[in-house]
């Protein structure tokens, strides 16, 4: 359903973010990463997209890249939770 929603209107960040989360939950990590990156191209301040992208990177064995995404997300959005996640 999320893939259909994105196909119907690819410019809606929440549709892509929901797709990314579903792909992450299914452990389709490269696809989840791509979905979250697409969200961030549309909305660079998306807290959910930064968190999802960081998880996808971490689960792919790229913790340093994940920490960088958390830091970028915290800077872009001002979200303290992203900053804390990146520090951990």
């Amino acid at each position: 359903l999320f893939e259909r929603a994105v196909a119907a209107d690819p410019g809606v960040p929440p549709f892509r973010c929901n797709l990314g989360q579903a792909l992450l939950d299914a452990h389709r990590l490269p696809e989840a990463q791509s979905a979250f990156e697409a969200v961030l191209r549309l909305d660079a301040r998306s807290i959910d997209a930064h968190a999802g992208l960081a998880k996808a990177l971490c689960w792919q064995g790229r913790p340093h890249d994940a920490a960088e995404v958390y830091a970028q997300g915290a800077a872009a959005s001002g979200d303290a939770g992203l900053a804390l996640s990146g520090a951990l």
Side-chain angles (χ1 to χ4, degrees):
L1 291 174
F2 294 130
E3 288 172 335
R4 282 195 241 158
V6 169
D9 196 344
V12 179
F15 291 173
R16 288 189 178 275
C17 204
N18 287 335
L19 174 59
Q21 187 58 53
L23 292 166
L24 190 65
D25 291 345
H27 296 278
R28 292 169 54 186
L29 303 177
E31 293 168 280
Q33 178 182 341
S34 293
F36 290 124
E37 288 170 342
V39 174
L40 293 173
R41 284 191 295 275
L42 296 168
D43 179 7
R45 296 174 12 144
S46 173
I47 295 167
D48 291 334
H50 278 97
L53 177 56
K55 285 179 191 174
L57 291 169
C58 192
W59 292 356
Q60 291 178 81
R62 298 170 55 191
H64 296 291
D65 292 335
E68 185 176 321
V69 168
Y70 278 126
Q72 290 170 349
S77 69
D79 185 73
L82 289 175
L84 179 60
S85 293
L88 295 175

